[in-house]
Amino acid sequence: MKQLQSLQNYLLENKLYFDNKSFSQYQNELNKIKFFIKDTRPNNLVLSYEGNNPLISIYLIANLKNLNYSLILGDYKKLQKISTDELGINYFEDSENILKPNSFFLTTSGTTGEPKLVNIDLKNLFESIKDINGETDRWLLTYNPNSYAGLQVILTAVFNSHFLYSTSNNNPKNLFELISQNNINRISGTPTFWKLLINFNKNFKSINLKNITLGGEIAEQELLNKLKDLFPNSKINHIYATTETGVVFSVSDLFEGFPKEYLEKYNLRLVNNELHILDKNNKWFNTKDICEVKNNRIIFKGRDEENIKIAGRKVNILKVENILISSELIEDAIVYAKKNPITGFIVSAEIKLKEKNSSNIQKVDDFIKTLNRYDRPSTYKIVDKISLNRNLKKSRKQNEE
C-alpha cells in the first residue's frame, strides 16, 4: 500500500513535531521496535499504543504490514501481554485468534460508556483524506492521536506534506504560545477546546487562521458566532463523524446542527429522534445522538446517556449545564450523574468561575438555589479547570461514581 510508504517518507521529512521534537530525535528508539519484535516474535503478534505521541502512532501504522503485526491504537487489555517497551508500546500474543492478522483497530472514546474496539479499513481511511491545494500549511493537533479525529488531522497533514505540531501539555497558555510561535493556520478541535482558547485570550491579532474545524461535541450557535467574530477571514467547518462509520458530513454555513436535506443526501434517518447512518455494508448504525427537527434544520440535543432519571423524572444533564453556563459569573461547567442509593442518581457539577473570589462563589450558590428543582445540581464544586479527556472533550464518565 503506497500510502504506508508515504507515512514513512513524511516522518523522515521531520515536519511532525511533538513537544518540539521531530522524528529524527525519536528514530533510534523507534527502530528498536524492529529488534524487539524479532527477539520476542510470538504467533499473531499484536501491538497496542495508548500514549499521546503522534510520531509513535504514525510509525506503528507505517510499519504494520512489513513488520507483520496487528495494531490497536487505544486502551485494550483483553489479550495476553508479553511486554511493554520504553516508549509505552504494549506487545501481546493473540493465541486465541481474536483479531484478524495484520489488522488495524481504534478504540472508541468511552466518553459515556466502556470503550469498544473498532476495526478500521486503512484503504478506506486513506481514501477519505482530502487533497488541499496551495502552500504548505501548519496544523495544530488538539485531538488524541489515537482517535479517529486525531488520525484525520494527522493524515491530512501527511498526505498534503504540511507541518503538524502537537504537545503533551494541553493547557490554554501552552496551546496559545504554540499557535503563535509556529504561525499555525489550521486547527481542528472540539467546541470545548475552542471555548478554552477563547476564554484564555481575547487578543488574537497574532493568530491568522485559514481554517477552523469543530468536531466531537455539539457546536452551539453562540460559539459559532464568537468564532466568526474573532476570525472573520477563516473558513469554519463543523464535521460530524464516528469511529465506526468515519466522516459523515461537514457543515460550513455557520448555523448549529445541519440542513434537513442532509438526511437524504448522506443516507441518514431519525428513529425515535436518534440519528442513524447507513454504513458501507448497507446496515443502519445507531449513533445514539438525539436530534430535534426545527423548520428545515436538524439540531443535535445530546445523547441518551446524557438523560438520567431522578426519582422517576428524566433530567438532561446538558440542559442543566447550559443553564449554569448562562450565568455571567460562570466561565464553564461540566454536569454529570452521581449514583445515589435513594433517588438512583443525583445531578452534580464542576464549575469554573470567570473570576474566583468569595463574593462570586456566594453569588453562584445563590443563583443555583433559584433554579428549578430538577435543573439544580445537588452537589457541586468550584474548580480551577474542567475535567477533560485526551480529545479535549468534557469527561463525564470519570465523575459518575
Side-chain angles (χ1 to χ4, degrees):
M1 195 181 294
K2 66 179 182 179
Q3 290 95 336
L4 295 179
Q5 185 59 52
S6 297
L7 296 183
Q8 295 189 43
N9 293 341
Y10 180 79
L11 289 173
L12 293 171
E13 290 175 3
N14 288 314
K15 288 185 173 180
L16 172 55
Y17 290 86
F18 177 69
D19 286 344
N20 296 317
K21 293 181 181 179
S22 63
F23 176 70
S24 60
Q25 292 158 294
Y26 285 95
Q27 193 166 5
N28 289 337
E29 287 84 355
L30 287 167
N31 284 335
K32 290 177 184 178
I33 295 172
K34 299 177 182 178
F35 300 105
F36 195 94
I37 290 174
K38 184 178 178 180
D39 293 340
T40 61
R41 183 90 231 176
N43 293 320
N44 296 336
L45 177 65
V46 179
L47 272 61
S48 80
Y49 177 64
E50 55 182 295
N52 58 0
N53 187 337
L55 288 158
I56 297 175
S57 300
I58 290 301
Y59 183 90
L60 292 175
I61 296 173
N63 287 283
L64 191 151
K65 300 295 184 184
N66 63 352
L67 292 182
N68 192 31
Y69 53 76
S70 294
L71 176 61
I72 298 171
L73 293 183
D75 183 15
Y76 192 73
K77 297 182 174 69
K78 295 182 180 179
L79 296 171
Q80 180 181 348
K81 185 187 287 189
I82 301 168
S83 184
T84 300
D85 68 18
E86 60 191 74
L87 294 171
I89 300 166
N90 299 310
Y91 297 78
F92 300 92
E93 180 176 9
D94 185 10
S95 57
E96 298 180 9
N97 298 315
I98 297 173
L99 308 178
K100 182 181 176 182
N102 294 118
S103 49
F104 174 52
F105 298 86
L106 293 177
T107 56
T108 57
S109 64
T111 306
T112 54
E114 285 299 314
K116 297 181 295 183
L117 205 59
V118 180
N119 188 199
I120 303 295
D121 186 311
L122 278 175
K123 184 174 181 292
N124 289 339
L125 176 62
F126 293 155
E127 288 177 351
S128 72
I129 304 302
K130 294 182 178 179
D131 291 333
I132 298 175
N133 296 324
E135 62 192 47
T136 299
D137 289 324
R138 295 170 176 266
W139 289 81
L140 174 67
L141 178 64
T142 66
Y143 293 109
N144 175 2
N146 300 328
S147 67
Y148 188 84
L151 280 181
Q152 281 280 315
V153 173
I154 295 169
L155 293 174
T156 299
V158 169
F159 294 145
N160 289 283
S161 198
H162 291 172
F163 286 89
L164 179 65
Y165 299 84
S166 64
T167 175
S168 58
N169 183 0
N170 276 331
N171 71 62
K173 181 177 183 296
N174 190 55
L175 289 170
F176 188 86
E177 290 175 353
L178 192 65
I179 295 166
S180 300
Q181 293 169 3
N182 294 287
N183 297 316
I184 286 167
N185 61 1
R186 290 183 180 270
I187 304 177
S188 181
T190 65
T192 296
F193 159 78
W194 288 107
K195 290 174 186 176
L196 284 172
L197 196 67
I198 290 170
N199 289 329
F200 169 74
N201 195 315
K202 306 298 181 185
N203 184 3
F204 291 92
K205 290 181 180 179
S206 63
I207 295 178
N208 183 22
L209 296 180
K210 181 185 292 186
N211 184 265
I212 290 171
T213 305
L214 302 92
E217 295 175 317
I218 296 173
E220 296 155 345
Q221 192 62 52
E222 183 181 0
L223 176 60
L224 293 171
N225 293 343
K226 283 183 180 178
L227 288 172
K228 186 59 181 174
D229 289 342
L230 288 170
F231 305 102
N233 299 319
S234 302
K235 182 178 180 181
I236 301 173
N237 293 75
H238 178 208
I239 290 180
Y240 183 78
T242 72
T243 304
E244 294 87 350
T245 62
V247 175
V248 182
F249 60 80
S250 66
V251 185
S252 56
D253 60 9
L254 295 178
F255 291 106
E256 63 181 343
F258 61 93
K260 189 177 178 181
E261 65 194 54
Y262 278 21
L263 292 175
E264 182 177 352
K265 183 176 181 180
Y266 293 103
N267 295 316
L268 312 172
R269 70 181 184 186
L270 294 178
V271 179
N272 296 324
N273 295 323
E274 291 185 336
L275 185 65
H276 290 64
I277 302 168
L278 190 64
D279 65 19
K280 291 181 171 63
N281 298 317
N282 215 33
K283 294 181 179 179
W284 288 101
F285 171 74
N286 184 1
T287 67
K288 305 212 170 155
D289 287 316
I290 298 172
C291 299
E292 178 182 333
V293 181
K294 284 189 177 180
N295 299 320
N296 289 316
R297 202 79 182 173
I298 309 295
I299 307 297
F300 290 107
K301 305 301 289 185
R303 297 174 68 87
D304 189 53
E305 294 94 333
E306 290 157 353
N307 289 317
I308 61 173
K309 276 194 175 181
I310 299 177
R313 177 162 175 168
K314 188 178 283 189
V315 176
N316 184 274
I317 56 178
L318 283 185
K319 177 188 173 187
V320 178
E321 199 168 279
N322 288 331
I323 290 172
L324 292 176
I325 296 172
S326 70
S327 166
E328 61 183 15
L329 300 169
I330 296 175
E331 180 177 297
D332 205 354
I334 178 170
V335 176
Y336 52 92
K338 197 169 184 179
K339 289 181 181 177
N340 181 277
I342 299 172
T343 61
F345 291 96
I346 59 172
V347 175
S348 295
E350 291 179 6
I351 296 172
K352 185 177 188 299
L353 301 179
K354 291 180 180 177
E355 187 176 344
K356 186 178 177 181
N357 56 50
S358 57
S359 174
N360 284 345
I361 290 172
Q362 183 59 54
K363 288 177 182 177
V364 165
D365 190 66
D366 293 339
F367 165 68
I368 289 174
K369 288 175 181 175
T370 68
L371 300 178
N372 176 290
R373 172 187 171 192
Y374 292 100
D375 295 335
R376 184 193 314 144
S378 299
T379 63
Y380 72 90
K381 55 185 176 182
I382 304 297
V383 297
D384 293 327
K385 62 179 182 178
I386 299 297
S387 296
L388 305 176
N389 67 15
R390 290 168 60 199
N391 266 337
L392 295 184
K393 292 168 67 173
K394 289 183 177 179
S395 181
R396 304 179 200 283
K397 183 188 170 188
Q398 68 183 51
N399 295 309
E400 290 174 353
E401 296 303 325

